[in-house]
Amino acid sequence: TDRRLHSHDVRPPVSEADWQNEVSAYGYEGFEGDANDYFRVDIVKSLSDGAAAKEHVRTIETKFRLVHIMTGCALFSHKVKLPDWGFDQQEVTCAKQGTLPNSIWYIEQNEHPLLGADAEKVNYKNPGFLGKFWELQKVMWTTNAGLVESHAWDSRPPSWPILRRGINFWGKERRHIYLIGNPVIWWSSSAAIGIYFIFKALSVLRWQRGFKDYEDVSFKRFDYEIGTSVLGWAFHYLPFFLMSRQLFLHHYFPALYFAIIALCQIYDFATNRISALGLRDRPAIGMSGVAAMLALSIVAFTLYAPLSYGNRWTQDSCKKVKLLNTWDFDCSLYPVRMSDYSISSAASGKVAPTKAPPAVAGNDKQKKKDANVTPQPEGDPHVSRVEKVEYRDQDGNILNEAQVKELEGKVSFETRYETKTRVIDSDGNEIHEEPAGAEGHAPPHPDVDRLPETAVDQPDDDGREKPATASPEDDIGKEKSVEKADDGKPRPASEPQEATG
């Protein structure tokens, strides 16, 4: 390119960190440059492949650092990207004491007139199945860990086993889809996990005191078989505690399967395999318990089906099954009676044109003015406007005035405005009007849409930083000083009905 790599003691255009200097490529063919164009090549032998690559620079195999002669900083690249004028490319700086992974470079392709056709050629090594598998795990972890912005319907792992809140997905014409589990199955499976932990704690305590419980075959099988399922539950649940990314209730689903399996195993041991309980010789009791559990599950499924499938519902039916205050679906959005849905459908249809009032003779100016006014239907519906302000923390809990006042000056609040119009007829009945073709949607989901709400001020990163083979470790320390993420500070959220249009 006939450009010279240059750095000087000036802050970069984006990072503006004291430990980083600006880097640019400037000049033209034959340009002499100055002393700030000189970099020293330091081969990193621990990361280079082969003995020859550790002695002199070889394509792909040699990993090296470019150290600026005048300032001692090293050529550095990280996740921060340049704005539009930089075509969203990664920012390259010269970092003083920069971390090793992001200051490692290698030559991917080399062309020179003196290289003949018989010149030695090198290529990337085939990492094999295990190498590709491990790289995939690292990329997935890095990508998921970067989704740290808050979301209107996110939740944290401790709330999942107790089904503390769900996710609002869609709403239109006073029908809504809200993700909520079957309380009967959900809470029973969570209780099964708790039963095993209590059993394990007591068994270890008794074992330390010299009891021979594990000589009993049923006791040993109970610990091994149910413990295997609980271990699967733990592997699919506990890692989420290490993630600061956006998390949702559906992330618990894989662990939920193992919890349900543990529930069935505990019931099997209690009714068929533990003779001390006396139920093994009475199979009718065990079958009756299964039938009762199945019936309760079906009843719960039927009660919550309008939320799962967006069916018609009423306010009273909604309030009866809202068992927890933290379940933030809004029952007031449903009509009082099922018959109100027909009124809503009629109101959202096409309105018949009304006859224009007769013009007053001799008042051409008023006639011309009235011609520009949209005709109103008879009855003149009344429009009422209500202002409502809610403050919510990162878990979606509503904060009262005392809590908000206590947090003032300690945290920053973000405000979201929403306007709603209620149209009421002459009898005081609310008419639900919605523009044709309009649909309400929940906030964009980060695992599907990856829209700006989940990527505000976050650079797009697919987890494949260059160089791909620079180091098996991710650069974490310096990144946090540049990409500061909001760490769960309370902020006001919009009303729960924001996602239901």
Side-chain angles (χ1 to χ4, degrees):
T1 61
D2 296 321
R3 298 290 188 270
R4 302 178 70 91
L5 187 63
H6 181 91
S7 180
H8 44 216
D9 191 13
V10 176
R11 301 291 77 79
V14 178
S15 297
E16 295 185 353
D18 292 338
W19 52 275
Q20 295 191 69
N21 292 341
E22 183 183 49
V23 172
S24 61
Y26 81 118
Y28 46 86
E29 184 177 1
F31 181 70
E32 294 183 359
D34 55 31
N36 283 323
D37 300 341
Y38 294 114
F39 287 80
R40 183 179 70 249
V41 178
D42 288 350
I43 296 177
V44 181
K45 295 183 179 181
S46 60
L47 299 178
S48 300
D49 301 327
K54 297 178 181 180
E55 298 299 328
H56 59 271
V57 177
R58 288 174 57 86
T59 305
I60 296 177
E61 297 176 351
T62 300
K63 309 303 185 298
F64 56 88
R65 301 172 75 235
L66 292 175
V67 181
H68 193 240
I69 299 297
M70 299 297 293
T71 61
C73 59
L75 195 66
F76 182 87
S77 181
H78 52 172
K79 298 177 182 178
V80 176
K81 292 189 176 182
L82 298 172
D84 293 339
W85 56 260
F87 304 100
D88 293 328
Q89 298 184 44
Q90 281 190 192
E91 182 186 43
V92 177
T93 65
C94 194
K96 303 172 184 177
Q97 299 178 348
T99 53
L100 193 63
N102 281 357
S103 59
I104 295 297
W105 302 87
Y106 69 98
I107 299 174
E108 187 175 42
Q109 184 177 358
N110 180 27
E111 296 180 359
H112 196 276
L114 297 180
L115 292 176
D118 56 344
E120 181 185 3
K121 294 180 175 61
V122 295
N123 203 343
Y124 290 101
K125 293 182 179 180
N126 186 354
F129 172 77
L130 292 179
K132 292 179 180 179
F133 177 80
W134 180 243
E135 181 183 10
L136 178 61
Q137 303 307 311
K138 292 193 298 181
V139 169
M140 289 192 298
W141 181 272
T142 302
T143 303
N144 281 276
L147 297 172
V148 295
E149 288 295 314
S150 62
H151 191 276
W153 301 100
D154 60 5
S155 57
R156 301 309 301 171
S159 67
W160 298 342
I162 60 176
L163 196 60
R164 192 170 184 271
R165 75 181 305 215
I167 309 173
N168 194 11
F169 278 107
W170 174 87
K172 180 183 178 183
E173 296 178 355
R174 290 192 280 187
R175 295 183 300 164
H176 313 282
I177 295 179
Y178 184 91
L179 175 63
I180 193 74
N182 189 314
V184 175
I185 298 176
W186 200 289
W187 289 333
S188 298
S189 62
S190 298
I193 299 296
I195 290 173
Y196 175 78
F197 281 135
I198 295 174
F199 161 81
K200 190 63 178 179
L202 293 177
S203 63
V204 171
L205 182 61
R206 288 174 58 85
W207 172 75
Q208 290 178 339
R209 292 174 176 263
F211 289 90
K212 306 296 182 181
D213 296 328
Y214 281 92
E215 293 181 358
D216 183 85
V217 176
S218 297
F219 189 95
K220 185 188 301 183
R221 296 301 301 177
F222 184 93
D223 187 20
Y224 173 74
E225 294 180 13
I226 300 177
T228 302
S229 298
V230 174
L231 185 63
W233 171 86
F235 279 147
H236 289 81
Y237 174 59
L238 298 181
F240 287 106
F241 284 87
L242 304 177
M243 293 186 179
S244 58
R245 63 149 285 174
Q246 297 166 351
L247 296 174
F248 300 87
L249 181 65
H250 63 73
H251 287 120
Y252 183 69
F253 284 176
L256 177 64
Y257 297 145
F258 286 94
I260 295 174
I261 293 173
L263 171 64
C264 298
Q265 289 176 312
I266 291 176
Y267 188 83
D268 178 58
F269 269 93
T271 56
N272 297 321
R273 302 173 66 175
I274 300 178
S275 58
L277 298 178
L279 299 178
R280 186 168 61 180
D281 299 330
R282 301 174 181 177
I285 296 178
M287 296 299 294
S288 299
V290 173
M293 182 67 178
L294 182 60
L296 288 175
S297 301
I298 294 175
V299 170
F301 172 82
T302 304
L303 292 175
Y304 291 95
L307 277 179
S308 302
Y309 298 99
N311 297 335
R312 296 182 175 184
W313 221 12
T314 62
Q315 293 184 12
D316 290 340
S317 300
C318 176
K319 293 176 181 178
K320 288 179 181 179
V321 299
K322 192 172 183 178
L323 304 180
L324 299 179
N325 293 331
T326 54
W327 290 358
D328 44 6
F329 53 86
D330 193 351
C331 293
S332 64
L333 297 178
Y334 291 96
V336 178
R337 300 175 299 274
M338 293 294 290
S339 59
D340 292 340
Y341 277 104
S342 59
I343 299 176
S344 175
S345 300
S348 60
K350 186 175 181 180
V351 180
T354 58
K355 185 177 181 180
V360 180
N363 194 351
D364 295 338
K365 183 177 181 180
Q366 181 66 28
K367 179 179 179 180
K368 184 178 296 185
K369 179 179 179 181
D370 292 341
N372 297 324
V373 179
T374 304
Q376 299 294 327
E378 295 180 0
D380 291 328
H382 304 282
V383 178
S384 62
R385 299 186 182 274
V386 180
E387 287 191 3
K388 184 179 180 182
V389 179
E390 288 183 354
Y391 288 88
R392 292 178 178 264
D393 60 13
Q394 68 276 12
D395 295 325
N397 301 319
I398 298 178
L399 304 177
N400 56 37
E401 295 182 1
Q403 292 172 319
V404 174
K405 187 175 181 180
E406 182 181 354
L407 292 173
E408 287 182 355
K410 299 179 181 179
V411 299
S412 59
F413 292 97
E414 293 183 0
T415 306
R416 183 178 298 170
Y417 296 94
E418 180 178 343
T419 301
K420 290 192 173 183
T421 302
R422 301 177 61 214
V423 182
I424 303 174
D425 61 16
S426 57
D427 296 329
N429 298 320
E430 180 180 353
I431 300 176
H432 184 77
E433 293 188 347
E434 204 167 328
E439 295 188 9
H441 296 277
H445 195 284
D447 291 339
V448 179
D449 302 298
R450 301 297 298 273
L451 291 180
E453 174 146 9
T454 66
V456 176
D457 295 331
Q458 294 292 330
D460 295 334
D461 177 27
D462 60 1
R464 296 173 290 184
E465 290 188 20
K466 302 296 185 180
T469 60
S471 170
E473 303 294 335
D474 293 321
D475 179 40
I476 298 177
K478 296 297 184 181
E479 296 301 318
K480 290 184 178 179
S481 66
V482 179
E483 301 176 77
K484 295 181 179 178
D486 184 4
D487 195 15
K489 296 180 180 178
R491 64 184 64 184
S494 56
E495 299 176 4
Q497 57 265 39
E498 64 155 303
T500 59

